[in-house]
Amino acid sequence: MGTRIAVGSWVFILLTLFSQPQPSAQSSPPAVPGESEVQARATALLQRMTVEEKIAQLSQLPGTPVPEFTENTQRPMEEILKQFGAGSILWISDPKEINRLQHVAVEQTRLHIPALFGLDVIHGYHTIFPAPIAMASSWDTQMVEQVQSVAAQEARAAGIEWTFAPMVDIARDARWGRMVEGAGEDPYLGAAMARAQVRGFQGQELGSPDHLLACVKHFAGYGAAEGGRDYDSSYIPDVLLWNVYLPPFKAALDAGVDSVMSAYMDLNDVPASGNRWLLHDVLRDTWHFQGFVVSDALAVKNLVTHGYASNLQDAAHKAFSAGLNMDMASGTYLKYLPLEFQQKKISMRQIDDAVLPILETKIRMGLFEHPYADESRLEQILNMPEHQQLARRAVERSVVLLRNHGGLLPLDKKTIHSIAVIGPLADDQTDLLSMWGALTKPGPTVTILQGIQDKVGPSVHVAYAHGPNLSRNIPSPFEGFPITAALKEQPAQTDQEVQQAIVDAVTLAKQSDIAILVLGEIDLMSGEAASRASLKLSNHQEDLLEAVSATGKPVVLVLINGRPLEISWAAEHVPAILEAWYPGSQGGNGIADVLFGDANPSGHLPVSWPRASGQLPLYYNHNLTQSPETAPDFKSRYWDILSAPLYPFGYGLGYTTFSFDHLQVTPEARIGGNIQVSAEVTNTGKEAGDAVVQLYIHQRSGSASRPVRQLKGFERVTLEPGTKHTVHFTLGKNEFQFWSPSEKKWVLEPEHFDVWIGGDSSATLHGEFRLAK
């Protein structure tokens, strides 16, 4: 943490000491203070603080009982808050309790410093929007920004000021449970989604009314856990760190994010929460980050568990010295940093440098002037109809149509008299939200069964069969935890009960004109501590699908899940497959809109979809190798299955079709100049729809082998039938440069390039250009 000198006169600082604003509930938007005022006020406050009060600002207190915290502190959380204050309090979503504790922080502490109340508002607080992997499938950054702005507005109205989002970890292995929280496998798309989410959460600038402090996580490499096993070690060479895993974090910083969360795992044998190279050399020295770093839950204490720290004091020392400002919920800083200071292992200068950005953030956010939530506004904000309208629109734009053989979709209400809705997720509310959506204060959720019933009305008979229950072989550690009490597995069944459930579903399908099966994962099957070795449909869902398909009735498969699943059989035998991810509060209505043609599906995959778990990790932007997959005689890298994905990155169907032609490319530019690329996209179908136009490049040679293709531009275009639109892209330094493992630095190289434009990563419209010296 570098030394920072406040700007401003000593007269101003002295005035600040004795003229603190009077706190109130926010009734009118405060003016965002300028940087000189922020730094002067923070410096003045810092000079009045005892070392114990400073270390309290470096501590996040748990709002729910945590044994590790109690073991370290030996005191109730609220007693610590009264005596010393707190940097932050987390895991409370009730606005009355938030206000009560904030009154303690502001009115009963010596310096009246408000606490930051944090919660995992990942994709909604009351209105739950589609999960982040779904929002990335929209390829619609404007919509994503709107979604997170609404999430911020609702959360801030409830007294929450800090969200632990966005998660921007690149995920190339679908076995990893937390793929659901990110934007998939690609750094360019991931960076775009990171920027959009930060802008949505924080507004135009930190301190914007009705917005939150965002926290980009998990820094860094968490998504590369070996074998897709959550919390396991990541081994990532520098070339992949700089070119793949770090760009979304840099994009979030460039968008103004003011806090960063460190990751749990070992990165190249050094735990990320005690990794000075990550938290200091990269984050502060290279990127000049001026905000603060918070650990993930209990991660400071767990440096001992890793075998990195010899004891808890050593853990506090290593995390703090690495550049970690705030200890989340373990109480390790509270207990051991005072001892570190007494023993002169850390200095007051280091403590001040760690505390200052936390105070500055609170000042920027206006918490000293408006620390309390105005509870009189809460119901009005949570029940704004436009929030539900946006949630429904987000579902429509994020679902991905994977298969539509024979044009089965959209369904025609006029010709269908009876519908069998089948599956353990068809009439479930909580499991449409994801584990993080269920964590906050979600409002009513429209199930898929309800959405279909409301869509077709009483003239069409809609009947429901549950099918087999869904449960994990090994229970989730989050089941039964106080803040995740809503998360529950479905009850276990005997083999006889499972078979009877399948028989009942088949009987219903035979009696109906069409069967809509809703299968996938309950929320506890995808998320934190939810990695899996196999991606197959679990709990006899595959048996259910095959049995219903055997009736000969038309079948639509709707998937509810947080990652690609193994659906190779369905991809050959089920005529229509719709990937809905975890769609949120308006899931039922949005999916019904798509199924019956009131919305045209336009989502595209942010991940490569595997045929089998044995292909993982799987990603499109691999290298050519000595045996390129584009060679005429290439078949597969495996002898038992095709090594190509079942569905490529960027793939998605709709109810219309598009063609791409008339590619124009600047043939040559000097290094430092720009290449202009344009192409014409035409709606060749009979319905209006959205094309997601994607641009990929390949550098043919240089100081390192370069990926066969890299996404470097995209645009979502709405077209009426028969109409055309010319899309334009500018490629410059940011698109061409890469970190070279040979040069050990960022390079721009004078080489020949390929460029493609199309609707997914297998686009065929091709051109070329050259960068010259």
Short mmCIF file of all heavy atoms in Angstrom, two decimals, residues 238 739-746:
data_model
loop_
_atom_site.label_atom_id
_atom_site.label_comp_id
_atom_site.label_asym_id
_atom_site.label_seq_id
_atom_site.Cartn_x
_atom_site.Cartn_y
_atom_site.Cartn_z
N ASP A 238 1.98 -17.15 -16.37
CA ASP A 238 1.82 -15.71 -16.57
C ASP A 238 1.09 -15.38 -17.86
O ASP A 238 0.29 -14.44 -17.91
CB ASP A 238 3.20 -15.03 -16.56
CG ASP A 238 3.79 -14.94 -15.17
OD1 ASP A 238 3.08 -15.26 -14.20
OD2 ASP A 238 4.97 -14.57 -15.05
N TRP A 739 0.19 -10.19 -23.99
CA TRP A 739 1.37 -10.39 -23.15
C TRP A 739 2.14 -11.57 -23.70
O TRP A 739 1.63 -12.70 -23.75
CB TRP A 739 0.95 -10.63 -21.70
CG TRP A 739 2.08 -10.49 -20.72
CD1 TRP A 739 2.48 -9.36 -20.07
CD2 TRP A 739 2.97 -11.52 -20.28
NE1 TRP A 739 3.55 -9.61 -19.26
CE2 TRP A 739 3.88 -10.94 -19.36
CE3 TRP A 739 3.10 -12.88 -20.57
CZ2 TRP A 739 4.89 -11.66 -18.74
CZ3 TRP A 739 4.11 -13.61 -19.96
CH2 TRP A 739 4.99 -13.00 -19.05
N SER A 740 3.36 -11.32 -24.14
CA SER A 740 4.16 -12.35 -24.81
C SER A 740 5.01 -13.11 -23.80
O SER A 740 5.78 -12.51 -23.05
CB SER A 740 5.08 -11.71 -25.85
OG SER A 740 6.02 -12.65 -26.32
N PRO A 741 4.90 -14.44 -23.77
CA PRO A 741 5.74 -15.21 -22.85
C PRO A 741 7.20 -15.20 -23.25
O PRO A 741 8.07 -15.48 -22.42
CB PRO A 741 5.15 -16.63 -22.95
CG PRO A 741 4.50 -16.68 -24.30
CD PRO A 741 3.99 -15.29 -24.55
N SER A 742 7.48 -14.88 -24.52
CA SER A 742 8.88 -14.78 -24.96
C SER A 742 9.49 -13.45 -24.54
O SER A 742 10.63 -13.39 -24.06
CB SER A 742 8.97 -14.92 -26.48
OG SER A 742 8.47 -16.17 -26.91
N GLU A 743 8.73 -12.38 -24.71
CA GLU A 743 9.24 -11.04 -24.40
C GLU A 743 9.02 -10.64 -22.94
O GLU A 743 9.59 -9.67 -22.46
CB GLU A 743 8.56 -10.01 -25.31
CG GLU A 743 8.75 -10.26 -26.80
CD GLU A 743 10.18 -10.08 -27.24
OE1 GLU A 743 10.89 -9.27 -26.60
OE2 GLU A 743 10.60 -10.75 -28.20
N LYS A 744 8.12 -11.38 -22.25
CA LYS A 744 7.78 -11.07 -20.86
C LYS A 744 7.21 -9.67 -20.70
O LYS A 744 7.47 -8.96 -19.72
CB LYS A 744 9.00 -11.23 -19.93
CG LYS A 744 9.67 -12.58 -19.99
CD LYS A 744 8.78 -13.69 -19.49
CE LYS A 744 9.50 -15.03 -19.47
NZ LYS A 744 8.62 -16.15 -19.12
N LYS A 745 6.41 -9.25 -21.69
CA LYS A 745 5.80 -7.93 -21.64
C LYS A 745 4.68 -7.87 -22.66
O LYS A 745 4.51 -8.77 -23.49
CB LYS A 745 6.83 -6.84 -21.92
CG LYS A 745 7.41 -6.90 -23.34
CD LYS A 745 8.44 -5.79 -23.57
CE LYS A 745 8.96 -5.86 -25.01
NZ LYS A 745 9.96 -4.79 -25.26
N TRP A 746 3.91 -6.77 -22.62
CA TRP A 746 2.87 -6.54 -23.61
C TRP A 746 3.52 -6.13 -24.93
O TRP A 746 4.43 -5.30 -24.95
CB TRP A 746 1.92 -5.44 -23.14
CG TRP A 746 1.08 -5.87 -21.97
CD1 TRP A 746 1.34 -5.65 -20.65
CD2 TRP A 746 -0.14 -6.61 -22.03
NE1 TRP A 746 0.35 -6.20 -19.88
CE2 TRP A 746 -0.57 -6.81 -20.70
CE3 TRP A 746 -0.91 -7.13 -23.07
CZ2 TRP A 746 -1.74 -7.50 -20.39
CZ3 TRP A 746 -2.07 -7.82 -22.76
CH2 TRP A 746 -2.47 -7.99 -21.44
#
